Amino acid sequence: MHRARHRLQSDVVLETTVLVNRMMMKRPLLLLLLLQLVLENQALRHSNSYYYQDLSPDGKGNEEIYFSGVRLHVESPQTMVSAVQGGNVTLPCVYRYEPEVSSPRRTRVKWLWQPNTGETKELHVMVAFGSRHRSYGDFQGRVRLRRSAPGDASLVIDQLQNDDTGRYRCEIIDGLEDESITVELQFRGVVFPYYSPVGRYQFNFQEAKEACEQQAACLATFEQLYEAWDEEKLDWCNAGWLADGTAQYPVSVPRDACGGTEMAPGVRSYGMRDKSIDRFDVFCFTSSIRGEVYFLQHKLRLNFSEAVEECAQDGAQIAKVGQLYAAWRFAGLDQCDAGWVADGSVRYPITKPRANCGPLEPGVRSFGFLPHHLKFGVYCHKVRW
Ligand SMILES: *[C@@H]1O[C@H](CO)[C@@H](O)[C@H](O)[C@H]1NC(C)=O
Ligand SMILES: *[C@@H]1O[C@H](CO)[C@@H](O)[C@H](O)[C@H]1NC(C)=O
């Protein structure tokens, strides 16, 4: 028996093929017109589905062809997913057959990804076939398919690591045919301005980068700073380095002390700067919720060296600035007590503003860098895994 497998696109095809089938012998001209229509229609449409059809002439020299078209749809309700480093994430991917197939199909699910690190090749994350599955590289033991319903091929990743961001592709393979969708994973984070204990505008580019890293963060990108300005009304009147080597600052409320009232609110740029000569503050980005930040309950107030020591006694470490920001933003840490943090500054996180706890907006309040003999509480950070 002659069998041919055709790969056709768009919804119109199936509807018209039935019609074509009936008219095939009698109306060749109309058939041509119809096909042309179909092709034009196809050119206009972008569809993430395909048909495959087993064509089986009845073997009696009859030209009639029987179609048994089944279409596979692969979809994702979200093409962009954000998550927090150290948290879990589900990358949605669902497939279904149309019309529904009665017998179970041998469907292979493959998840691939292209890291944000400039890698051009796609790497394997996981392959699943029936009840068998295999995960690769750093993903081993951290990934599984959600399988919450038939056709659910969503990928669950646990304990997100800092280099897990990128473009993920869910590929569904049935026989010779495959179809896929992509989902972008990015980190949700918080941008914070940072400056040197020595004073304002002290960092060259490399020092700025290291300063962020020492506080469990990295240099913010322009997109991250823009989002912080746009969504959280970040307002900071000192220019800071960004990852692309520009120096910029976000202004929500234009004012004289901050570039004047003539200019509209926005992220203002000093443009690309000389990375070794020019000196600014810095904007850092942190997304990590690994571990827990807490205010150490202690009978006494502590100077800086005692603070470091007491966290260690508690099986923890004095918290870094990035960790305090992440705990404030993602774990809702709210504590109206000034405490030492790792860089020798004194801060406290407020999510529910109230009397005697600083300004009316939520935020991490800072007293700046203070002499180490002064006595305060302390914020510690404990790693959970
Ligand atoms: C992530 O999922 C694991 C189980 O897979 C669970 O134990 C853990 O609490 C989850 N973590 C977060 C931050 O949701
Ligand atoms: C903190 O107090 C201890 C005594 O408890 C003292 O030995 C230490 O020098 C003090 N550190 C600072 C930075 O003042």
Side-chain angles (χ1 to χ4, degrees):
M1 189 185 277
H2 167 77
R3 292 169 75 88
R5 185 160 270 185
H6 289 239
R7 191 184 164 113
L8 306 169
Q9 294 228 324
S10 101
D11 293 326
V12 188
V13 180
L14 188 59
E15 286 147 28
T16 36
T17 41
V18 179
L19 218 70
V20 168
N21 202 9
R22 286 201 208 104
M23 303 186 304
M24 212 159 172
M25 298 305 292
K26 293 165 197 156
R27 316 237 175 104
L29 185 61
L30 191 55
L31 168 65
L32 264 173
L33 281 172
L34 257 168
L35 272 176
Q36 194 178 345
L37 235 167
V38 168
L39 289 173
E40 277 170 8
N41 220 315
Q42 254 184 277
L44 291 174
R45 294 174 62 125
H46 173 77
S47 168
N48 223 357
S49 58
Y50 68 86
Y51 301 102
Y52 56 95
Q53 304 175 321
D54 292 326
L55 308 184
S56 41
D58 67 1
K60 292 175 195 159
N62 193 321
E63 291 291 329
E64 208 173 344
I65 293 171
Y66 300 96
F67 289 82
S68 59
V70 176
R71 195 174 61 180
L72 176 65
H73 275 289
V74 183
E75 286 162 0
S76 178
Q78 269 175 290
T79 54
M80 180 80 89
V81 172
S82 9
V84 185
Q85 204 179 318
N88 300 339
V89 73
T90 302
L91 307 179
C93 175
V94 186
Y95 66 89
R96 65 189 153 82
Y97 292 95
E98 241 175 47
E100 255 178 61
V101 288
S102 45
S103 54
R105 304 215 38 112
R106 293 172 65 74
T107 313
R108 191 183 291 271
V109 178
K110 206 190 247 188
W111 276 94
L112 303 143
W113 78 307
Q114 203 174 329
N116 270 349
T117 49
E119 186 95 31
T120 49
K121 228 177 71 197
E122 275 190 322
L123 307 171
H124 279 81
V125 175
M126 153 165 229
V127 175
F129 191 49
S131 60
R132 288 182 293 145
H133 54 85
R134 173 164 180 204
S135 50
Y136 296 82
D138 273 353
F139 291 106
Q140 279 175 45
R142 289 198 296 135
V143 289
R144 63 190 161 85
L145 294 188
R146 184 170 62 181
R147 299 270 197 221
S148 65
D152 182 8
S154 303
L155 183 72
V156 180
I157 311 177
D158 287 342
Q159 296 175 19
L160 281 169
Q161 297 172 4
N162 64 2
D163 45 9
D164 283 349
T165 54
R167 232 166 85 102
Y168 286 74
R169 191 156 68 85
C170 169
E171 187 176 20
I172 308 295
I173 305 153
D174 185 326
L176 295 175
E177 305 292 351
D178 65 273
E179 213 37 62
S180 65
I181 52 96
T182 56
V183 183
E184 186 92 25
L185 172 65
Q186 59 176 21
F187 282 141
R188 209 149 26 90
V190 47
V191 171
F192 62 94
Y194 194 73
Y195 58 91
S196 163
V198 180
R200 283 292 158 75
Y201 285 7
Q202 295 293 320
F203 296 135
N204 66 24
F205 182 79
Q206 185 61 26
E207 290 162 350
K209 185 166 176 285
E210 285 164 10
C212 289
E213 283 161 6
Q214 278 160 15
Q215 298 313 313
C218 58
L219 279 173
T221 64
F222 170 74
E223 289 75 19
Q224 289 161 350
L225 180 65
Y226 183 87
E227 232 179 275
W229 167 79
D230 188 37
E231 287 174 12
E232 292 141 36
K233 304 282 165 278
L234 182 66
D235 188 294
W236 194 256
C237 215
N238 293 280
W241 287 105
L242 295 178
D244 61 2
T246 61
Q248 316 207 21
Y249 65 98
V251 177
S252 295
V253 186
R255 52 195 184 275
D256 282 333
C258 202
T261 50
E262 312 273 278
M263 276 157 80
V267 175
R268 296 175 187 169
S269 179
Y270 289 166
M272 293 295 286
R273 308 306 301 194
D274 187 309
K275 287 184 178 174
S276 49
I277 294 172
D278 290 329
R279 291 182 180 270
F280 297 98
D281 294 344
V282 62
F283 290 99
C284 305
F285 175 83
T286 181
S287 160
S288 183
I289 55 160
R290 291 181 65 153
E292 183 199 359
V293 173
Y294 58 97
F295 183 75
L296 186 72
Q297 297 301 328
H298 198 274
K299 316 178 277 297
L300 303 171
R301 293 199 178 222
L302 311 161
N303 67 28
F304 181 67
S305 42
E306 290 166 335
V308 171
E309 178 57 23
E310 287 304 320
C311 285
Q313 288 290 325
D314 206 40
Q317 278 194 312
I318 187 166
K320 296 173 173 168
V321 179
Q323 291 163 340
L324 185 62
Y325 268 95
W328 162 73
R329 166 58 51 79
F330 300 116
L333 188 65
D334 183 286
Q335 185 87 38
C336 199
D337 293 288
W340 287 109
V341 287
D343 63 347
S345 60
V346 172
R347 303 174 188 246
Y348 64 97
I350 294 295
T351 48
K352 299 181 276 301
R354 51 198 181 274
N356 304 321
C357 293
L360 290 173
E361 301 83 37
V364 174
R365 326 291 195 208
S366 176
F367 294 104
F369 300 95
L370 297 179
H372 285 188
H373 67 269
L374 295 181
K375 301 212 164 196
F376 295 98
V378 61
Y379 289 91
C380 307
H381 175 257
K382 201 176 269 187
V383 182
R384 269 192 266 114
W385 64 73

